[in-house]
Amino acid sequence: MSPSRSNKRPVIQPEPIARIGTAERTRAEILDAAFEFLWSRPFRDMTVNVLMAMIPQGRTAFYKYFDDIHGVMAEMLKRLEAEILEGASAWLSDDGDPVALLYKSLAAEVQIGYRYGPFIKAVSDAAGTNAEVEDEWNWLLDRFDDAVSERIAADQELGLIEAFDPGPVATALNRVDAAMYIRQFGHRPRSRPQPVVDAITRVWISTLYGQRWATSRRSTLVRE
Amino acid sequence: MSPSRSNKRPVIQPEPIARIGTAERTRAEILDAAFEFLWSRPFRDMTVNVLMAMIPQGRTAFYKYFDDIHGVMAEMLKRLEAEILEGASAWLSDDGDPVALLYKSLAAEVQIGYRYGPFIKAVSDAAGTNAEVEDEWNWLLDRFDDAVSERIAADQELGLIEAFDPGPVATALNRVDAAMYIRQFGHRPRSRPQPVVDAITRVWISTLYGQRWATSRRSTLVRE
DNA sequence: TGACGCGGTGACATGGTGTCACTAGAGTGT
DNA sequence: ACACTCTAGTGACACCATGTCACCGCGTCA
């Protein structure tokens, strides 16, 4: 889609830029500085000092817009969440060949993970240092768990997936994705995405639909 | 095998207590205070202040034994590493039915993960706040990746596992484990371990040896 | 014109950190 | 018994990021 040239920091342009006053602009500047900073440096080095040194305003102006540095990360998480939810859902909602849809969904998700890798890692790190960010982050992951779990249960009903408790398996599979993004795309230079797609799809498809579908990308598990 | 009564903090008794001078005892006290603290509270709340308030010595005595709070976590990681490596390796090294061995190894690993869950989460959090701990932690995980990768390659040679690039898959599978321990056992009360064992073994076995072995715990993939 | 509100600032108090010069006391050699 | 040394531990201090607060300049609007 729009911002995807490979090695440039992706610009997250959120809500349609509606009539910004000075305040909104400054808030956006802070957030933008955070994105810029985290694109090349770890969260642990990001302080209010260093962030506000990147924009014209003095340090204390920061507190007009955020409670603390974790407030910035909470906002960043929200923006990432929007991006993630947008691209992630073919397999979860669409009808059709589940293996093909799953492959497509995972490939799309990995692209998101690749594009925002450093930010995802930053949010994950921030979750370790602040209870609220941790809660938000876990809440997002849990929502994915639930959605995946439901989809598994539905396909179990249809006999497409073996009978087993879908909850923990959904959690496990989702954790693969998150951990791989952080590990492979969390700092630059990032790994190439294709091997990650291959590994993740192999794990998901083998676990859910069986190994024989894991290699070929176009499946015939269900004829449409 | 020794300390496993379920809801008590496991005592990691490291090197056989050899002729401890005052210094070694104090160092051990600090470390022990860290374990005690992290058993019930998150890493982000652990400061030098709070740690040294738990033992008779004053705060600055801390710096005789560790560079900073991350030095404590590095030491904790070393101890955990010893525990982890001890129980983890049946599948990696033993001969015999690979599915049965893998199941056994994973079940043993999950027990470790369960027992030390809060500490594992603490180390993982600490890795987010300090480059050295992060490097150590990643190095440990990478060693697992390499070992698993080798084992996969070996079984691919034997035709027991499909041909695919084993590296990223090994990484993905190992991340499942780590992420599940942190998620399910990272804070108390911890989840029950059995569903975690079930989910993890399902993912691993389905991915490596095929779904048909994932349900029964005693496999006949290879006759001994 | 004057009051108000908003974006922004400098000064300050707080709290954790890490260092350093120092001390008390135990051990050692003479 | 005496001096020397080493070691565990300490209090005072400087540092730094944080977060708050009173205040200010300026544009808006009655």
Side-chain angles (χ1 to χ4, degrees):
Chain A
M1 306 246 155
S2 37
S4 70
R5 222 135 54 286
S6 192
N7 211 18
K8 256 189 55 194
R9 181 172 70 83
V11 179
I12 296 193
Q13 206 54 281
E15 301 94 44
I17 314 165
R19 178 171 287 314
I20 43 179
T22 315
E24 288 312 309
R25 189 182 308 114
T26 302
R27 193 183 145 93
E29 275 179 341
I30 295 174
L31 223 21
D32 200 58
F35 274 103
E36 186 176 336
F37 183 90
L38 293 174
W39 182 242
S40 50
R41 304 190 42 173
F43 169 72
R44 59 174 161 266
D45 292 343
M46 189 175 83
T47 67
V48 175
N49 275 322
V50 80
L51 223 47
M52 296 307 280
M54 296 171 68
I55 67 172
Q57 284 74 9
R59 184 181 63 84
T60 57
F62 176 89
Y63 297 96
K64 282 281 195 290
Y65 302 98
F66 300 96
D67 285 345
D68 53 30
I69 203 72
H70 299 104
V72 178
M73 297 311 291
E75 180 65 32
M76 181 172 292
L77 173 53
K78 255 201 237 164
R79 311 248 164 141
L80 289 179
E81 191 178 332
E83 299 282 324
I84 291 169
L85 293 179
E86 186 185 333
S89 40
W91 176 66
L92 291 177
S93 54
D94 290 9
D95 280 337
D97 179 343
V99 173
L101 284 176
L102 179 52
Y103 181 84
K104 200 176 121 191
S105 290
L106 290 174
E109 262 189 62
V110 171
Q111 283 309 320
I112 308 271
Y114 178 76
R115 192 175 317 154
Y116 301 117
F119 308 138
I120 295 172
K121 171 159 163 47
V123 168
S124 163
D125 288 345
T129 69
N130 179 264
E132 275 130 57
V133 176
E134 185 173 31
D135 290 344
E136 298 277 351
W137 179 231
N138 283 332
W139 186 75
L140 174 59
L141 292 175
D142 287 352
R143 271 168 61 209
F144 267 91
D145 293 354
D146 291 343
V148 168
S149 191
E150 269 186 44
R151 179 55 149 108
I152 292 176
D155 278 359
Q156 285 175 324
E157 286 292 322
L158 296 176
L160 298 174
I161 296 180
E162 282 185 8
F164 55 78
D165 180 8
V169 171
T171 301
L173 292 174
N174 275 329
R175 286 340 196 246
V176 176
D177 298 14
M180 288 293 274
Y181 303 157
I182 291 168
R183 173 70 187 146
Q184 309 287 0
F185 308 141
H187 32 75
R188 292 164 45 244
R190 298 161 287 179
S191 306
R192 285 177 39 245
Q194 191 54 50
V196 175
V197 173
D198 292 342
I200 286 180
T201 53
R202 173 164 296 275
V203 171
W204 279 71
I205 293 176
S206 297
T207 301
L208 297 181
Y209 299 109
Q211 258 183 345
R212 67 188 166 290
W213 311 109
T215 305
S216 63
R217 278 167 203 178
R218 213 161 280 281
S219 105
T220 55
L221 179 55
V222 168
R223 307 218 165 263
E224 308 185 39
Chain B
M1 290 296 129
S2 37
S4 70
R5 220 138 53 283
S6 190
N7 211 18
K8 256 188 53 196
R9 181 171 69 84
V11 178
I12 297 194
Q13 206 53 282
E15 301 93 45
I17 314 165
R19 178 172 289 312
I20 42 179
T22 315
E24 288 312 309
R25 189 182 308 113
T26 301
R27 191 182 147 92
E29 276 179 340
I30 294 174
L31 223 21
D32 201 60
F35 274 104
E36 186 176 336
F37 183 90
L38 293 175
W39 182 241
S40 49
R41 304 190 43 174
F43 169 72
R44 58 174 160 267
D45 293 342
M46 189 175 82
T47 67
V48 174
N49 276 323
V50 81
L51 223 47
M52 296 307 280
M54 297 171 70
I55 67 173
Q57 284 74 10
R59 184 181 63 85
T60 57
F62 175 89
Y63 297 97
K64 281 280 195 292
Y65 302 98
F66 299 96
D67 285 345
D68 53 29
I69 203 72
H70 299 102
V72 178
M73 297 311 292
E75 181 64 34
M76 179 171 293
L77 173 53
K78 256 201 235 163
R79 311 248 164 142
L80 288 179
E81 191 178 332
E83 300 281 324
I84 291 169
L85 294 178
E86 187 184 335
S89 40
W91 176 66
L92 291 177
S93 53
D94 289 10
D95 281 337
D97 179 342
V99 172
L101 285 176
L102 177 53
Y103 180 84
K104 201 176 119 192
S105 290
L106 290 174
E109 262 188 63
V110 171
Q111 283 310 318
I112 308 271
Y114 178 76
R115 194 177 314 154
Y116 301 117
F119 308 140
I120 295 172
K121 169 159 164 47
V123 169
S124 163
D125 287 345
T129 69
N130 179 265
E132 275 129 56
V133 176
E134 185 173 31
D135 289 345
E136 298 277 350
W137 179 232
N138 283 333
W139 186 75
L140 174 60
L141 293 175
D142 287 352
R143 272 168 61 208
F144 267 91
D145 293 353
D146 291 343
V148 168
S149 190
E150 269 185 44
R151 180 54 150 110
I152 292 175
D155 278 0
Q156 285 175 325
E157 286 291 321
L158 296 176
L160 297 174
I161 296 180
E162 281 185 9
F164 54 78
D165 179 8
V169 172
T171 300
L173 292 174
N174 274 330
R175 299 310 143 145
V176 177
D177 298 15
M180 289 293 275
Y181 303 156
I182 291 169
R183 173 70 187 148
Q184 309 287 359
F185 308 141
H187 33 76
R188 294 164 44 241
R190 297 162 286 178
S191 307
R192 286 176 40 245
Q194 191 55 49
V196 176
V197 173
D198 292 342
I200 286 179
T201 53
R202 172 164 296 278
V203 172
W204 279 69
I205 294 176
S206 298
T207 301
L208 298 181
Y209 299 108
Q211 258 183 346
R212 65 187 168 290
W213 311 108
T215 304
S216 62
R217 281 171 200 176
R218 215 161 276 282
S219 103
T220 55
L221 179 56
V222 169
R223 306 220 164 263
E224 307 185 40

PDB file of all heavy atoms in Angstrom, chain A residues 23 57-58 64-65, chain C residues 7-11:
ATOM      1  N   ALA A  23      -1.374  22.710  19.510  1.00  0.00           N
ATOM      2  CA  ALA A  23      -1.223  21.615  20.469  1.00  0.00           C
ATOM      3  C   ALA A  23      -1.141  20.274  19.763  1.00  0.00           C
ATOM      4  O   ALA A  23      -0.230  19.488  19.999  1.00  0.00           O
ATOM      5  CB  ALA A  23      -2.399  21.625  21.446  1.00  0.00           C
ATOM      6  N   GLN A  57      10.456  22.567  21.202  1.00  0.00           N
ATOM      7  CA  GLN A  57       9.979  22.878  22.539  1.00  0.00           C
ATOM      8  C   GLN A  57      10.906  22.381  23.648  1.00  0.00           C
ATOM      9  O   GLN A  57      11.694  21.460  23.462  1.00  0.00           O
ATOM     10  CB  GLN A  57       8.593  22.273  22.764  1.00  0.00           C
ATOM     11  CG  GLN A  57       7.470  23.022  22.081  1.00  0.00           C
ATOM     12  CD  GLN A  57       7.448  22.800  20.589  1.00  0.00           C
ATOM     13  OE1 GLN A  57       8.170  21.962  20.085  1.00  0.00           O
ATOM     14  NE2 GLN A  57       6.629  23.563  19.879  1.00  0.00           N
ATOM     15  N   GLY A  58      10.781  23.002  24.780  1.00  0.00           N
ATOM     16  CA  GLY A  58      11.564  22.588  25.936  1.00  0.00           C
ATOM     17  C   GLY A  58      11.045  21.291  26.534  1.00  0.00           C
ATOM     18  O   GLY A  58       9.958  20.813  26.196  1.00  0.00           O
ATOM     19  N   LYS A  64       2.655  18.341  29.000  1.00  0.00           N
ATOM     20  CA  LYS A  64       1.349  18.837  28.580  1.00  0.00           C
ATOM     21  C   LYS A  64       0.616  17.793  27.724  1.00  0.00           C
ATOM     22  O   LYS A  64      -0.605  17.842  27.582  1.00  0.00           O
ATOM     23  CB  LYS A  64       1.507  20.121  27.772  1.00  0.00           C
ATOM     24  CG  LYS A  64       1.757  21.360  28.610  1.00  0.00           C
ATOM     25  CD  LYS A  64       0.445  21.867  29.221  1.00  0.00           C
ATOM     26  CE  LYS A  64       0.583  23.285  29.743  1.00  0.00           C
ATOM     27  NZ  LYS A  64       1.446  23.349  30.947  1.00  0.00           N
ATOM     28  N   TYR A  65       1.365  16.845  27.162  1.00  0.00           N
ATOM     29  CA  TYR A  65       0.778  15.935  26.175  1.00  0.00           C
ATOM     30  C   TYR A  65       0.765  14.472  26.613  1.00  0.00           C
ATOM     31  O   TYR A  65      -0.077  13.709  26.160  1.00  0.00           O
ATOM     32  CB  TYR A  65       1.519  16.083  24.848  1.00  0.00           C
ATOM     33  CG  TYR A  65       1.458  17.494  24.337  1.00  0.00           C
ATOM     34  CD1 TYR A  65       2.508  18.384  24.535  1.00  0.00           C
ATOM     35  CD2 TYR A  65       0.309  17.959  23.724  1.00  0.00           C
ATOM     36  CE1 TYR A  65       2.419  19.695  24.095  1.00  0.00           C
ATOM     37  CE2 TYR A  65       0.215  19.258  23.275  1.00  0.00           C
ATOM     38  CZ  TYR A  65       1.271  20.128  23.477  1.00  0.00           C
ATOM     39  OH  TYR A  65       1.171  21.418  23.062  1.00  0.00           O
TER      40      TYR A  65
ATOM     41  P    DG C   7      -3.109  24.229  23.858  1.00  0.00           P
ATOM     42  OP1  DG C   7      -3.770  23.607  22.696  1.00  0.00           O
ATOM     43  OP2  DG C   7      -3.123  23.548  25.173  1.00  0.00           O
ATOM     44  O5'  DG C   7      -1.601  24.548  23.466  1.00  0.00           O
ATOM     45  C5'  DG C   7      -1.338  25.505  22.456  1.00  0.00           C
ATOM     46  C4'  DG C   7       0.038  26.085  22.675  1.00  0.00           C
ATOM     47  O4'  DG C   7       0.011  26.941  23.843  1.00  0.00           O
ATOM     48  C3'  DG C   7       1.116  25.025  22.936  1.00  0.00           C
ATOM     49  O3'  DG C   7       2.262  25.318  22.143  1.00  0.00           O
ATOM     50  C2'  DG C   7       1.394  25.150  24.427  1.00  0.00           C
ATOM     51  C1'  DG C   7       1.058  26.609  24.714  1.00  0.00           C
ATOM     52  N9   DG C   7       0.597  26.843  26.072  1.00  0.00           N
ATOM     53  C8   DG C   7      -0.329  26.117  26.773  1.00  0.00           C
ATOM     54  N7   DG C   7      -0.544  26.574  27.978  1.00  0.00           N
ATOM     55  C5   DG C   7       0.293  27.670  28.091  1.00  0.00           C
ATOM     56  C6   DG C   7       0.502  28.555  29.169  1.00  0.00           C
ATOM     57  O6   DG C   7      -0.036  28.562  30.283  1.00  0.00           O
ATOM     58  N1   DG C   7       1.445  29.538  28.852  1.00  0.00           N
ATOM     59  C2   DG C   7       2.105  29.640  27.661  1.00  0.00           C
ATOM     60  N2   DG C   7       2.970  30.631  27.542  1.00  0.00           N
ATOM     61  N3   DG C   7       1.916  28.804  26.632  1.00  0.00           N
ATOM     62  C4   DG C   7       1.007  27.849  26.928  1.00  0.00           C
ATOM     63  P    DG C   8       3.545  24.405  22.272  1.00  0.00           P
ATOM     64  OP1  DG C   8       4.271  24.555  21.004  1.00  0.00           O
ATOM     65  OP2  DG C   8       3.143  23.064  22.762  1.00  0.00           O
ATOM     66  O5'  DG C   8       4.374  25.134  23.403  1.00  0.00           O
ATOM     67  C5'  DG C   8       4.735  26.505  23.234  1.00  0.00           C
ATOM     68  C4'  DG C   8       5.466  26.987  24.474  1.00  0.00           C
ATOM     69  O4'  DG C   8       4.533  27.120  25.565  1.00  0.00           O
ATOM     70  C3'  DG C   8       6.578  26.039  24.976  1.00  0.00           C
ATOM     71  O3'  DG C   8       7.827  26.704  24.901  1.00  0.00           O
ATOM     72  C2'  DG C   8       6.183  25.710  26.401  1.00  0.00           C
ATOM     73  C1'  DG C   8       5.232  26.857  26.748  1.00  0.00           C
ATOM     74  N9   DG C   8       4.268  26.503  27.791  1.00  0.00           N
ATOM     75  C8   DG C   8       3.336  25.498  27.777  1.00  0.00           C
ATOM     76  N7   DG C   8       2.619  25.441  28.873  1.00  0.00           N
ATOM     77  C5   DG C   8       3.118  26.461  29.660  1.00  0.00           C
ATOM     78  C6   DG C   8       2.747  26.890  30.957  1.00  0.00           C
ATOM     79  O6   DG C   8       1.876  26.431  31.689  1.00  0.00           O
ATOM     80  N1   DG C   8       3.517  27.979  31.382  1.00  0.00           N
ATOM     81  C2   DG C   8       4.514  28.578  30.656  1.00  0.00           C
ATOM     82  N2   DG C   8       5.145  29.606  31.220  1.00  0.00           N
ATOM     83  N3   DG C   8       4.875  28.186  29.439  1.00  0.00           N
ATOM     84  C4   DG C   8       4.136  27.134  29.002  1.00  0.00           C
ATOM     85  P    DT C   9       9.156  25.934  25.281  1.00  0.00           P
ATOM     86  OP1  DT C   9      10.189  26.342  24.311  1.00  0.00           O
ATOM     87  OP2  DT C   9       8.883  24.505  25.521  1.00  0.00           O
ATOM     88  O5'  DT C   9       9.490  26.619  26.664  1.00  0.00           O
ATOM     89  C5'  DT C   9       9.460  28.046  26.772  1.00  0.00           C
ATOM     90  C4'  DT C   9       9.760  28.458  28.196  1.00  0.00           C
ATOM     91  O4'  DT C   9       8.594  28.189  29.019  1.00  0.00           O
ATOM     92  C3'  DT C   9      10.920  27.682  28.826  1.00  0.00           C
ATOM     93  O3'  DT C   9      11.917  28.588  29.230  1.00  0.00           O
ATOM     94  C2'  DT C   9      10.306  26.945  30.014  1.00  0.00           C
ATOM     95  C1'  DT C   9       9.020  27.707  30.276  1.00  0.00           C
ATOM     96  N1   DT C   9       7.930  26.854  30.804  1.00  0.00           N
ATOM     97  C2   DT C   9       7.429  27.108  32.052  1.00  0.00           C
ATOM     98  O2   DT C   9       7.833  28.012  32.758  1.00  0.00           O
ATOM     99  N3   DT C   9       6.428  26.264  32.449  1.00  0.00           N
ATOM    100  C4   DT C   9       5.885  25.209  31.731  1.00  0.00           C
ATOM    101  O4   DT C   9       4.984  24.518  32.185  1.00  0.00           O
ATOM    102  C5   DT C   9       6.460  24.991  30.436  1.00  0.00           C
ATOM    103  C7   DT C   9       5.957  23.879  29.575  1.00  0.00           C
ATOM    104  C6   DT C   9       7.448  25.817  30.031  1.00  0.00           C
ATOM    105  P    DG C  10      13.393  28.032  29.471  1.00  0.00           P
ATOM    106  OP1  DG C  10      14.306  28.871  28.660  1.00  0.00           O
ATOM    107  OP2  DG C  10      13.435  26.561  29.346  1.00  0.00           O
ATOM    108  O5'  DG C  10      13.590  28.408  31.009  1.00  0.00           O
ATOM    109  C5'  DG C  10      13.204  29.695  31.476  1.00  0.00           C
ATOM    110  C4'  DG C  10      13.196  29.700  32.989  1.00  0.00           C
ATOM    111  O4'  DG C  10      12.038  28.956  33.454  1.00  0.00           O
ATOM    112  C3'  DG C  10      14.409  29.043  33.635  1.00  0.00           C
ATOM    113  O3'  DG C  10      14.775  29.805  34.793  1.00  0.00           O
ATOM    114  C2'  DG C  10      13.919  27.630  33.986  1.00  0.00           C
ATOM    115  C1'  DG C  10      12.432  27.859  34.266  1.00  0.00           C
ATOM    116  N9   DG C  10      11.569  26.736  33.908  1.00  0.00           N
ATOM    117  C8   DG C  10      11.681  25.920  32.800  1.00  0.00           C
ATOM    118  N7   DG C  10      10.746  25.014  32.722  1.00  0.00           N
ATOM    119  C5   DG C  10       9.956  25.242  33.848  1.00  0.00           C
ATOM    120  C6   DG C  10       8.795  24.569  34.301  1.00  0.00           C
ATOM    121  O6   DG C  10       8.203  23.614  33.784  1.00  0.00           O
ATOM    122  N1   DG C  10       8.312  25.129  35.491  1.00  0.00           N
ATOM    123  C2   DG C  10       8.881  26.187  36.152  1.00  0.00           C
ATOM    124  N2   DG C  10       8.274  26.578  37.261  1.00  0.00           N
ATOM    125  N3   DG C  10       9.970  26.821  35.732  1.00  0.00           N
ATOM    126  C4   DG C  10      10.457  26.300  34.581  1.00  0.00           C
ATOM    127  P    DA C  11      15.995  29.339  35.682  1.00  0.00           P
ATOM    128  OP1  DA C  11      16.768  30.561  35.979  1.00  0.00           O
ATOM    129  OP2  DA C  11      16.677  28.163  35.083  1.00  0.00           O
ATOM    130  O5'  DA C  11      15.246  28.875  37.013  1.00  0.00           O
ATOM    131  C5'  DA C  11      14.137  29.613  37.515  1.00  0.00           C
ATOM    132  C4'  DA C  11      13.592  28.918  38.757  1.00  0.00           C
ATOM    133  O4'  DA C  11      12.680  27.867  38.346  1.00  0.00           O
ATOM    134  C3'  DA C  11      14.661  28.242  39.622  1.00  0.00           C
ATOM    135  O3'  DA C  11      14.339  28.439  40.993  1.00  0.00           O
ATOM    136  C2'  DA C  11      14.590  26.784  39.200  1.00  0.00           C
ATOM    137  C1'  DA C  11      13.105  26.625  38.883  1.00  0.00           C
ATOM    138  N9   DA C  11      12.808  25.590  37.890  1.00  0.00           N
ATOM    139  C8   DA C  11      13.507  25.316  36.741  1.00  0.00           C
ATOM    140  N7   DA C  11      13.000  24.332  36.022  1.00  0.00           N
ATOM    141  C5   DA C  11      11.885  23.935  36.754  1.00  0.00           C
ATOM    142  C6   DA C  11      10.917  22.945  36.537  1.00  0.00           C
ATOM    143  N6   DA C  11      10.912  22.133  35.472  1.00  0.00           N
ATOM    144  N1   DA C  11       9.930  22.809  37.454  1.00  0.00           N
ATOM    145  C2   DA C  11       9.946  23.624  38.516  1.00  0.00           C
ATOM    146  N3   DA C  11      10.799  24.601  38.829  1.00  0.00           N
ATOM    147  C4   DA C  11      11.753  24.701  37.892  1.00  0.00           C
TER     148       DA C  11
END
